[in-house]
């Protein structure tokens, strides 16, 4: 089996039933597997709510390890829209030239480093550094902060033996508490200062609200970006001809980014809490139970995507939901896409080939399904052009 | 060559000229407010939504199934909606007027 492959464990259930069931800490989940159903459910926020008990829409549920509501993630319209109006312009900054130049410098330096090394673990030595340094740009904070975030390791929320480790999550909460306290309002400053200066619906944000926003930029943008970057490297290791092709046809890089993000779907699913008895694709769903929007399955829906299990770098029509859909679509998507662009451009310019030495996959257990979402370790040799 | 007019949120018409490529790309190049083109034109983001002037709809034609499915769940969509990344610029589009949705 090819190492980059990300299989489609949901196929049979998607085709025959459209739904599947998984248990999670005695709060079971109905997984929604078809693209159209996922989209409709994501759009219908009145029946499928995000603003439930904090942590409940995440799978595995985080209700036992946190009380802070993540904003805008765990807020429903119309308040959700007010927060998005505040945050959207800030999270579009990756479109600015200066941002892109600095990001390119960061990625160039990192790639130069790993080209010199004997061998590297892509997860720890590359993707984590890239993600952390790039996040300093998104927060408009000192690049030195990245060293602190890198020192937390890839698993800031969990320890080896406990996937839901409240004590570990506390490191991040304490860090953010300190940062907010040490900042003062400044609309031109870093994200903490900007939020301290901001108003939503005519009111200043509380400490708890700012914390809920900041935590999300760390939590939502960490594993997802690391998975996207690591999977992309594994793909190019198996497909040196794709590096050649993108060198000759740089105009398809935009499509290649979307296709790699569709194919690998770095965030498998996200939940909603059902507010009234309802139905999804003819399955009855009870009020106060949970559903999941299974982005990973929707992205392989054979009724929409031709050859869904192939990476077609210049796929022209690609209505994937890797960044979610409708109101809660990913706030970090502009940043994530820019990371992918700079990464691919840098690899194309500098890298001739990549050899995989060994690896350990990161497999999620989702009831009857097992899905590879990325790697725990991916050791490679990387060679210059 | 085609001259295309975009009417943005504050009702200001902006006229731009394009040779080829998608209407979304032309709008982004010219910083048309409300056309972001986040997904680069693969029909996954709906940040390129426009309303075509009724009498000109035949010029651009119907959306594909995939595009219609995207528009169906867009609260601002009407029967003259298109995702303009799916419209290719041709000389036939000269004089087209598009109102930015949303
Ligand atoms: C390839 C990388 C990424 C992927 C695949 C991804 C995926 C997603 C998905 C699927 C959602 C929708 C969740 C839902 O509907 O409940 C989402 C929401 C969100 N993501 Fe991302 N994400 C990525 C990177 C980032 C980054 C870099 C950040 C910020 C630093 C970020 C911040 C957020 C936030 C704040 C939300 C909530 C938006 C809202 O509720 O309005 N994400 N992301
Ligand atoms: C304070 C906020 C959060 C905490 C404490 C937290 C905690 C956790 C924990 C404990 C895990 C490990 C679960 C396991 O391995 O079984 C995890 C995994 C994950 N979380 Fe979160 N989470 C938070 C917010 C988010 C948000 C907002 C998103 C996305 C929008 C997200 C995306 C993910 C992803 C993609 C994984 C799987 C990563 C992997 O195994 O590679 N998290 N999170
Ligand atoms: S640019 Fe994304 S759908 Fe048109």
């Amino acid at each position: 089996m090819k190492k980059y492959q990300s299989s489609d464990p949901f196929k049979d259930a998607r085709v025959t039933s459209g739904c599947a069931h998984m248990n999670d800490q005695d709060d079971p989940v109905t997984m929604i597997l078809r693209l159209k159903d996922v989209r409709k459910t994501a759009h219908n926020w009145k029946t499928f709510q995000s603003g439930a008990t904090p942590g409940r829409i995440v799978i595995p549920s985080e209700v036992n390890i946190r009380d802070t509501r993540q904003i805008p993630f765990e807020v429903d319209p119309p308040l959700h829209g007010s927060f998005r109006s505040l945050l959207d312009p800030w999270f579009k900054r990756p479109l600015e030239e200066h941002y892109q130049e600095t990001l390119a410098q960061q990625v160039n330096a990192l790639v130069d480093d790993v080209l010199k090394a004997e061998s590297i673990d892509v997860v720890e030595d590359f993707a984590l550094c890239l993600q952390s340094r790039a996040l300093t740009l998104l927060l408009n904070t000192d690049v030195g902060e990245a060293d602190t975030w890198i020192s937390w390791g890839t698993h800031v929320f969990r320890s080896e033996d406990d996937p839901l480790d409240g004590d570990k999550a506390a490191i991040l909460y304490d860090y953010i508490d300190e940062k907010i306290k040490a900042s003062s309002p400044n609309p031109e400053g870093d994200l903490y200062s900007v939020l301290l200066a901001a108003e939503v619906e005519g009111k200043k944000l509380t400490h708890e609200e700012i914390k809920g926003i900041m935590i999300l930029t760390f939590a939502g943008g960490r594993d997802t970006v690391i998975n996207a970057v690591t999977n992309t490297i594994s793909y190019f290791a198996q497909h040196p001809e794709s590096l050649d092709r993108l060198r000759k046809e740089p105009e398809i890089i935009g499509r290649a980014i979307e296709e790699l993000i569709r194919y690998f779907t770095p965030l498998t699913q996200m939940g909603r809490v059902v507010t009234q008895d309802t139905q999804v694709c003819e399955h009855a769903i009870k009020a106060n139970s949970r559903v999941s929007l299974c982005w990973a399955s929707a992205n392989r829906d054979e009724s929409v995507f031709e050859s869904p299990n192939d990476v077609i770098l210049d796929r022209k029509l690609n209505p994937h939901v890797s960044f979610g859909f409708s109101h809660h679509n990913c706030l970090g998507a502009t940043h994530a896409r820019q990371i992918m662009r700079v990464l691919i451009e840098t690899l194309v310019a500098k890298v001739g080939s990549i050899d995989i030495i060994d690896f350990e996959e990161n497999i999620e257990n989702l009831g009857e399904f097992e899905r590879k979402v990325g790697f725990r370790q991916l050791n490679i040799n990387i060679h210059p052009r | 060559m085609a001259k295309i007019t975009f009417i943005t949120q504050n009702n200001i018409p902006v006229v731009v000229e394009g040779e080829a490529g998608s209407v979304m790309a032309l709008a982004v190049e010219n910083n048309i407010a409300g056309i972001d083109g986040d997904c680069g034109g693969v029909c996954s983001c709906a940040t390129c939504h426009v309303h075509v002037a009724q009498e000109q709809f035949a010029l651009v034609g119907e959306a594909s199934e995939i595009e219609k499915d995207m528009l169906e769940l867009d609260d601002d969509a009407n029967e003259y909606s298109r995702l303009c990344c799916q419209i290719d610029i041709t000389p036939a589009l000269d004089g087209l007027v598009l109102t930015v949705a949303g």
Side-chain angles (χ1 to χ4, degrees):
Chain A
M1 178 164 151
K2 289 185 186 160
K3 298 171 193 73
Y4 82 85
Q5 270 185 352
S6 163
S7 61
D8 172 19
F10 311 106
K11 184 176 176 20
D12 288 343
R14 181 178 57 240
V15 172
T16 56
S17 151
C19 287
H21 301 276
M22 68 174 272
N23 193 15
D24 164 30
Q25 303 164 61
D26 298 323
D27 188 3
V29 182
T30 302
M31 303 169 74
I32 301 173
L33 302 174
R34 294 177 183 155
L35 180 70
K36 270 196 190 188
D37 293 328
V38 165
R39 282 213 198 114
K40 274 192 197 147
T41 310
H43 188 63
N44 183 358
W45 57 270
K46 286 188 180 153
T47 307
F48 303 97
Q49 166 191 58
S50 294
T53 309
R56 195 166 170 218
I57 64 168
V58 183
I59 304 160
S61 169
E62 294 164 0
V63 283
N64 295 321
I65 59 164
R66 69 173 159 102
D67 305 308
T68 300
R69 180 172 300 282
Q70 294 184 1
I71 302 173
F73 176 56
E74 294 173 319
V75 178
D76 290 311
L79 182 59
H80 172 265
S82 304
F83 277 108
R84 284 292 295 240
S85 304
L86 166 68
L87 296 170
D88 281 346
W90 179 272
F91 282 86
K92 289 270 178 189
R93 286 163 47 257
L95 295 176
E96 292 167 11
E97 213 168 301
H98 174 72
Y99 195 105
Q100 295 178 6
E101 280 165 11
T102 316
L103 186 60
Q105 284 163 11
Q106 289 180 351
V107 175
N108 264 289
L110 251 175
V111 171
D112 286 343
D113 280 352
V114 299
L115 278 169
K116 279 185 229 133
E118 266 294 290
S119 70
I120 61 149
D121 168 16
V122 179
V123 180
E124 288 274 341
D125 303 331
F126 186 76
L128 176 63
C129 298
L130 200 174
Q131 182 273 334
S132 297
R133 285 183 199 161
L135 188 61
T136 64
L137 269 173
L138 188 61
L139 304 190
N140 197 25
T141 179
D142 185 64
V143 68
E145 288 297 308
D147 297 337
T148 308
W149 308 337
I150 293 168
S151 76
W152 294 336
T154 39
H155 304 304
V156 59
F157 309 121
R158 63 203 113 128
S159 47
E160 288 304 314
D161 44 348
D162 182 1
L164 289 167
D165 186 335
D167 290 343
K168 272 208 102 182
I171 298 179
L172 179 57
Y173 284 112
D174 292 346
Y175 171 86
I176 290 175
D177 274 335
E178 285 307 311
K179 283 284 163 191
I180 300 171
K181 280 188 211 143
S183 307
S184 41
N186 175 5
E188 310 290 316
D190 58 17
L191 185 53
Y192 305 95
S193 329
V194 169
L195 293 176
L196 280 165
E199 288 187 359
V200 165
E201 301 195 342
K203 287 197 292 274
K204 289 258 179 273
L205 304 184
T206 63
H207 179 97
E208 189 69 6
E209 284 171 332
I210 296 178
K211 189 170 161 183
I213 295 172
M214 293 307 306
I215 200 95
L216 192 50
T217 62
F218 283 95
R222 197 167 173 95
D223 295 305
T224 46
V225 170
I226 292 172
N227 288 339
V229 169
T230 310
N231 281 321
T232 297
I233 303 268
S234 82
Y235 168 78
F236 284 122
Q238 303 278 304
H239 286 272
E241 80 282 2
S242 292
L243 280 176
D244 286 336
R245 178 165 180 208
L246 291 165
R247 198 172 294 135
K248 292 190 196 102
E249 298 174 63
E251 66 278 6
I252 67 165
I253 288 180
R255 287 184 190 167
I257 294 168
E258 299 305 314
E259 175 66 348
L260 291 168
I261 286 181
R262 175 193 72 89
Y263 183 79
F264 291 117
T265 316
L267 182 60
T268 301
Q269 60 180 350
M270 194 48 77
R272 296 289 188 264
V273 172
V274 181
T275 57
Q276 59 191 73
D277 288 355
T278 186
Q279 277 199 340
V280 176
C281 67
E282 289 159 26
H283 297 257
I285 302 190
K286 282 249 168 284
N288 196 34
S289 69
R290 299 195 292 169
V291 297
S292 94
L293 312 168
C294 189
W295 320 115
S297 169
N299 280 341
R300 302 294 178 96
D301 192 327
E302 42 286 285
S303 71
V304 179
F305 299 97
E306 261 173 57
S307 311
N309 298 319
D310 295 340
V311 174
I312 300 174
L313 278 186
D314 61 350
R315 195 184 282 275
K316 193 167 178 231
L317 268 179
N318 193 350
H320 67 78
V321 285
S322 292
F323 289 118
F325 184 75
S326 200
H327 315 279
H328 290 280
N329 68 6
C330 180
L331 188 58
T334 314
H335 177 74
R337 285 183 163 116
Q338 219 42 251
I339 289 180
M340 287 291 285
R341 172 169 295 275
V342 170
L343 173 66
I344 292 175
E345 286 173 354
T346 311
L347 294 177
V348 161
K350 299 199 170 203
V351 172
S353 65
I354 302 169
D355 298 325
I356 295 178
I357 305 165
D358 55 31
F359 60 91
E360 187 192 340
E361 295 182 331
N362 182 358
I363 309 282
E364 292 177 336
N365 290 302
L366 314 161
E368 69 197 85
F369 311 110
E370 286 191 349
R371 173 173 194 254
K372 171 182 159 190
V373 62
F375 294 85
R376 297 198 180 282
Q377 253 190 62
L378 175 64
N379 294 308
I380 60 163
N381 282 321
I382 180 165
H383 309 288
R385 277 181 71 197
Chain B
M1 180 76 78
K3 276 202 173 86
I4 297 177
T5 304
F6 291 93
I7 300 173
T8 57
Q9 283 288 288
N10 39 19
N11 266 320
I12 303 172
V14 185
V15 185
V16 297
E17 274 185 17
E19 286 283 350
S22 81
V23 172
M24 179 279 291
L26 178 69
V28 170
E29 261 163 47
N30 288 282
N31 296 311
I32 302 295
I35 304 287
D36 295 345
D38 286 348
C39 75
V42 296
C43 207
S44 104
C45 72
T47 64
C48 62
H49 182 183
V50 293
H51 299 295
V52 182
Q54 183 179 346
E55 63 281 6
Q56 291 183 319
F57 197 70
L59 279 181
V60 299
E62 292 270 313
S64 67
E65 271 317 299
I66 284 180
E67 186 186 330
K68 278 187 186 156
D69 286 345
M70 288 291 288
L71 286 166
E72 186 196 350
L73 295 174
D74 193 313
D75 295 332
D76 301 310
N78 66 21
E79 57 190 310
Y80 305 110
S81 282
R82 289 293 312 267
L83 296 176
C84 69
C85 67
Q86 302 301 310
I87 306 174
D88 285 328
I89 299 175
T90 64
L93 296 189
D94 193 41
L96 185 67
V97 179
L98 301 171
T99 306
V100 177

